[in-house]
């Protein structure tokens, strides 16, 4: 039996989809446990690009059971679009399950997300405007509508009415919007229910059965540790908990069911939306990394902010998630950049030095990053498949990351392709033995 959690170790967009896709080969079940269609996972397979927002990245493995857990917020229109899009491309969708307890994003959540951001003006969070925050807020207020409610017209209508009632004032600009008409909404969502019915399931039970039967379950995180509602750079965070601990709640298993935690980080850092980012590069080098790394949001198309890898934040993420292993992606993007830098501490304008992630947000906003410099590497590394194929300086960068973060690097991404990876150290031996 094995329960493996995969989480983002930075600010999201680290390439979790690719790591899940690779580890899914040996898994019996892949389940997403939080977030919604604010996520965007890209997988390149045999030259074909797949983008997922809700469906777990394991779906490309024919017949694999892929579940959307109770902790996810589901926009049914988006989900149906994704199912149909994948089906058209010949992907077998019979393994898809959706938790009956997952909460639904309703049209008013999307409007409230936009409205909330507009009201914040300059203080806006830079959300994906997909209705994520308002949906989780309704869940906590016990005004949420769940996937199972799609199967009961009376309950659905009553719950929509109850949920809309306290929002009248905020929704005033949309009073004539046909999307928010009670009758239209009920009918539309009932029709979604019909289309999703065959996928609706008790996904927690599915996890228990898989684990009890000696199978491997992959718990797929979305967003990332630094966007965690409790542990991230609040309020510039998402409204769920992307840390590994949330896999238990969002999938319905206990802590003893988790055997391993993998964190995914890029060899540099990116962030979308507002909020502190101590290693940000607002210069030509930042632009170069953005360009080379294709750092544009999968979900919103927004340019990502770019910077050096932040080992203070990464060490914090390793601890918060008790990470057993790191997957470092996009190492190839750094080729030709000399010197390379890794952030090893923060310095406050008044001189105080922070080797550990500071708990006070003001420090993070004002601190400057201090770096260790490392020699850069040259040339194309996209064809490297073993650790020893990598230039010495690239290995030096990986060692600096592992030492600074406090977790071993077990997987390295050297290009967008599925095969463009290097299994490292023990993991490489383990995979060779298994082959
Ligand atoms: P929300 O999750 O749409 O409410 O957005 C809150 C913050 O999280 C914003 O800064 C978003 O840019 C960020 N965010 C949400 N989902 C992702 C993601 O999948 N990758 C990167 N950033 C994200």
């Amino acid at each position: 039996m094995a329960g493996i959690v995969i989480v983002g170790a930075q600010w999201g967009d680290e390439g979790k989809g690719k790591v899940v896709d690779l580890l899914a080969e040996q898994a019996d079940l892949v389940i997403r446990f939080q977030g919604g269609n604010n996520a965007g996972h890209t997988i390149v397979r045999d030259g074909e690009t797949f983008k997922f927002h809700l469906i777990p990245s394991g779906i490309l493995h024919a017949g694999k059971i892929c579940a959307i857990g109770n902790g996810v917020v589901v926009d049914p229109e988006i989900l149906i679009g994704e199912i149909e899009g994948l089906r058209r491309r010949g992907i077998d969708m019979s393994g898809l399950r959706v938790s009956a307890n997952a909460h639904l994003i309703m049209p008013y959540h999307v409007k409230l997300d936009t409205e909330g951001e507009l009201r914040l003006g300059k203080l806006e969070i830079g959300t994906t405007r997909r209705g994520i925050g308002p949906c989780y807020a309704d869940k906590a207020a016990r005004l949420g509508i769940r996937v199972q409610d799609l199967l009961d017209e009376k309950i659905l209508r009553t719950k929509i009415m109850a949920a809309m009632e306290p929002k009248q004032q905020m929704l005033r600009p949309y009073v004539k919007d046909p999307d928010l008409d009670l009758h239209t909404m009920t009918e539309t969502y009932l029709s979604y229910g019909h289309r999703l019915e065959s996928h609706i399931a008790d996904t927690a039970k599915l996890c228990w059965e898989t684990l009890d039967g000696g199978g491997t379950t992959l718990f797929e995180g979305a967003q990332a540790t630094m966007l965690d509602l409790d542990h991230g750079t609040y309020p510039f965070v998402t409204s769920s908990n992307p840390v590994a601990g949330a896999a238990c709640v969002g999938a319905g298993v206990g802590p003893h069911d988790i055997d391993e935690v993998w964190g995914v980080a890029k060899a540099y850092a990116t962030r979308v939306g507002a909020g502190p980012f101590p290693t940000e590069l607002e210069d030509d080098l930042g632009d170069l990394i953005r360009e080379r790394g294709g750092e544009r949001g999968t979900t919103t198309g927004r340019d990502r902010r770019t910077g050096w890898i932040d080992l203070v934040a990464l060490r914090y993420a390793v601890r918060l998630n008790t990470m057993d292993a790191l997957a470092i992606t996009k190492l190839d993007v750094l080729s030709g950049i000399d010197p390379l830098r890794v952030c090893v501490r923060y310095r406050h304008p008044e001189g105080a030095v922070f080797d550990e992630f500071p708990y006070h947000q003001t420090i993070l906003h004002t601190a400057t990053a201090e770096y260790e410099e490392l020699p850069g590497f040259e040339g194309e590394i996209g064809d490297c498949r073993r650790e020893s194929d990598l230039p010495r300086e690239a290995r030096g960068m990986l060692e600096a990351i592992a030492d600074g973060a406090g977790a071993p690097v077990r997987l390295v991404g050297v290009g967008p392709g599925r095969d463009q990876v290097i299994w490292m150290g023990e993991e490489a031996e383990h995979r060779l033995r298994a082959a």
Side-chain angles (χ1 to χ4, degrees):
M1 165 198 118
I4 303 171
V5 183
I6 296 165
V7 292
Q10 296 167 309
W11 278 277
D13 310 309
E14 298 94 346
K16 294 179 289 294
K18 176 170 171 171
V19 177
V20 171
D21 181 40
L22 286 166
L23 295 179
E25 260 173 33
Q26 294 170 4
D28 301 280
L29 168 68
V30 183
I31 182 162
R32 256 196 69 181
F33 60 87
Q34 45 71 232
N37 61 308
N38 46 348
H41 294 167
T42 307
I43 299 172
V44 182
R45 247 200 186 197
D46 303 327
E48 244 195 298
T49 303
F50 292 88
K51 291 184 195 291
F52 301 111
H53 297 286
L54 270 170
I55 293 180
S57 309
I59 200 76
L60 296 181
H61 298 270
K64 181 107 25 199
I65 303 294
C66 286
I68 295 177
N70 56 276
V72 176
V73 286
V74 177
D75 185 324
E77 187 183 357
I78 301 291
L79 178 58
I80 291 166
E82 234 168 74
I83 295 173
E84 287 174 355
L86 285 168
R87 234 184 232 139
R88 273 197 299 275
R89 292 173 76 176
I91 307 295
D92 175 8
M93 299 305 296
S94 62
L96 181 68
R97 306 283 184 276
V98 184
S99 168
N101 286 351
H103 280 247
L104 292 168
I105 295 184
M106 305 296 291
Y108 47 82
H109 290 139
V110 180
K111 313 266 188 226
L112 287 172
D113 200 353
T114 302
E115 205 47 33
E117 287 284 85
L118 292 176
R119 285 185 184 206
L120 282 171
K122 275 201 201 133
L123 297 176
E124 72 163 13
I125 291 154
T127 73
T128 59
R129 302 197 179 191
R130 300 295 190 264
I132 308 295
C135 184
Y136 277 116
D138 266 358
K139 175 178 178 176
R142 288 153 297 177
L143 287 172
I145 296 167
R146 297 188 292 172
V147 167
Q148 57 185 282
D149 300 327
L150 293 175
L151 306 178
D152 187 320
E153 180 173 354
K154 197 161 157 238
I155 288 181
L156 181 63
R157 189 182 303 274
T158 312
K159 287 195 174 179
I160 295 177
M161 263 194 309
M164 295 269 287
E165 212 286 314
K167 301 178 178 61
Q168 294 306 333
Q169 203 189 340
M170 271 287 257
L171 290 173
R172 197 159 288 156
Y174 306 97
V175 76
K176 293 216 165 73
D177 193 319
D179 290 351
L180 300 193
D181 171 71
L182 175 65
H183 179 71
T184 313
M185 234 186 308
T186 311
E187 290 304 311
T188 309
Y189 273 64
L190 281 174
S191 77
Y192 294 150
H194 292 308
R195 289 159 83 178
L196 289 175
E197 195 165 0
S198 63
H199 297 289
I200 300 175
D202 180 347
T203 53
K205 190 156 166 265
L206 210 59
C207 288
W208 309 334
E209 285 166 358
T210 307
L211 293 165
D212 285 350
T216 296
T217 297
L218 224 54
F219 299 88
E220 175 178 351
Q223 290 81 49
T225 304
M226 303 310 291
L227 291 174
D228 185 274
L229 182 59
D230 287 78
H231 301 285
T233 52
Y234 190 91
F236 303 102
V237 292
T238 192
S239 297
S240 66
N241 292 108
V243 292
C248 293
V249 181
V253 300
H256 291 300
D257 291 321
I258 309 297
D259 299 285
E260 246 179 65
V261 179
W262 285 60
V264 187
K266 284 192 252 218
Y268 50 95
T270 62
R271 173 163 205 169
V272 211
F277 186 10
T279 63
E280 184 164 14
L281 285 166
E282 290 175 283
D283 56 9
D284 290 350
L285 185 55
D287 291 341
L288 179 79
I289 292 175
R290 182 176 310 107
E291 203 48 48
R292 274 211 206 152
E295 298 298 350
R296 193 150 293 120
T298 316
T299 301
T300 59
R302 288 182 288 180
D303 272 356
R304 295 176 185 145
R305 299 156 69 192
T306 50
W308 293 113
I309 192 164
D310 181 343
L311 298 182
V312 180
L314 194 56
R315 190 159 57 244
Y316 174 68
V318 165
R319 288 182 165 180
L320 275 171
N321 294 284
T322 53
M323 280 175 199
D324 298 284
L326 281 169
I328 301 297
T329 59
K330 293 190 156 185
L331 183 63
D332 52 303
V333 172
L334 297 184
S335 173
I337 299 175
D338 192 19
L340 295 171
R341 292 202 168 105
V342 294
C343 166
V344 289
R345 70 185 79 83
Y346 304 145
R347 189 177 292 273
H348 189 263
E350 284 169 14
V353 164
F354 293 85
D355 295 310
E356 300 296 337
F357 198 74
Y359 75 85
H360 207 295
Q361 189 83 1
T362 312
I363 293 165
L364 208 60
H365 279 281
T366 51
T368 46
E370 291 195 346
Y371 297 97
E372 195 176 295
E373 280 194 0
L374 300 163
F377 55 94
E378 291 287 338
E380 176 59 53
I381 61 165
D383 292 330
C384 297
R385 293 293 175 270
R386 293 162 194 255
E387 195 173 342
S388 56
D389 296 341
L390 284 172
R392 186 162 43 89
E393 295 80 3
R395 279 183 272 139
M397 177 74 172
L398 295 171
E399 273 162 32
I401 293 173
D403 285 351
V409 175
R410 289 215 224 147
L411 180 67
V412 178
V414 291
R418 187 167 195 279
D419 60 330
Q420 289 185 293
V421 290
I422 300 175
W423 295 101
M424 305 276 287
E426 271 176 38
E427 195 63 35
E429 285 163 33
H430 167 74
R431 288 193 179 248
L432 267 177
R433 274 197 305 274

